[in-house]
Amino acid sequence: MFRFDPDLKVYLHRDAIDFRVGLNGLAIVVEQALGMDPFAQAVYVFRRPCKTLATRMDTGFSPVPLVA
């Protein structure tokens, strides 16, 4: 579970992602597609056609599925 502080930023990667890339692959997407630091204090939201996933990499937590 995330604690959403007022200063916490949330970024959405709109294109669908193949989640089999794992956390390292998602970190590369954050760096290359979003041009951001994957270990910054932020939440990155990724999606695929049938599932949405949020991850906060700076804390070492596993990705959290979001329920629509």
Side-chain angles (χ1 to χ4, degrees):
M1 175 175 270
F2 293 126
R3 181 171 187 202
F4 289 100
D5 296 322
D7 297 331
L8 185 66
K9 296 185 181 190
V10 179
Y11 299 97
L12 171 65
H13 185 269
R14 294 185 304 180
D15 297 332
I17 296 289
D18 182 355
F19 289 166
R20 293 177 291 178
V21 299
L23 283 179
N24 291 338
L26 294 176
I28 291 170
V29 170
V30 169
E31 286 180 330
Q32 294 180 356
L34 299 176
M36 308 197 72
D37 177 10
F39 300 103
Q41 288 194 340
V43 172
Y44 301 99
V45 180
F46 302 92
R47 68 171 205 78
R48 66 179 186 183
C50 62
K51 188 175 188 179
T52 302
L53 177 84
T55 186
R56 186 170 174 184
M57 296 181 193
D58 67 316
T59 60
F61 287 115
S62 297
V64 177
L66 300 178
V67 177

